[in-house]
Amino acid sequence: AGGLAMLSALDRDGVDRMLSFNRGRLRAYHNFAPHELLAMVERTQREGHSLIDGLIVPGAVAIGLALVDLAQRPILAISAAGIADRMPRTRWPEIVAALTRTRYDIDTMLRADLRQAGGKRRTLRRGVR
């Protein structure tokens, strides 16, 4: 979910380059072809978080969010994963909200560290995807 979130933070050209570069590696994952992964990227971009529901590990759910720098490049992701019984669909909004708060906290800490180190620019922007 973290990787999908980071991939989804790229522009379309960046996504296409990554899919092309990793086409051979993707063959190891029988559950999704490049066109299916592209559909997941588009859904992640629409919804603002990634979601993988049993696709890689049957019975497991993962949700992820990316953090981007000022140039809109993904620099890291946070995610939560668990068995579907512990992460039912009804809890997904709660999990997304918790991850969103955590992403904000990380952004705040990184900017504070940068200021303390004498940096002139913020590392991350507030309105991250």
Side-chain angles (χ1 to χ4, degrees):
L4 176 58
M6 289 183 74
L7 180 63
S8 300
L10 297 171
D11 62 19
R12 180 58 190 252
D13 287 339
V15 171
D16 289 343
R17 280 193 311 273
M18 285 296 174
L19 291 178
S20 177
F21 181 78
N22 289 292
R23 190 166 302 276
R25 290 179 180 101
L26 290 173
R27 288 189 192 111
Y29 297 93
H30 303 291
N31 292 341
F32 53 86
H35 74 277
E36 293 168 319
L37 185 53
L38 184 56
M40 293 170 68
V41 165
E42 290 169 352
R43 185 186 73 213
T44 298
Q45 291 171 337
R46 275 193 316 274
E47 296 180 5
H49 64 274
S50 63
L51 172 66
I52 299 177
D53 184 10
L55 186 61
I56 297 173
V57 177
V61 174
I63 299 170
L65 283 85
L67 283 90
V68 297
D69 65 12
L70 289 173
Q72 298 303 299
R73 295 174 302 222
I75 58 170
L76 62 99
I78 55 174
S79 62
I83 59 171
D85 290 345
R86 305 259 318 163
M87 290 179 69
R89 194 175 295 269
T90 56
R91 286 196 62 216
W92 294 354
E94 171 190 350
I95 294 165
V96 169
L99 288 171
T100 300
R101 286 189 303 273
T102 301
R103 178 175 62 186
Y104 175 82
D105 291 344
I106 293 168
D107 174 48
T108 301
M109 286 185 284
L110 288 172
R111 284 185 290 107
D113 286 349
L114 184 61
R115 278 194 306 275
Q116 189 173 19
K120 303 292 184 205
R121 295 181 358 165
R122 293 185 325 189
T123 302
L124 302 176
R125 66 177 186 86
R126 280 192 188 267
V128 293
R129 305 184 229 186

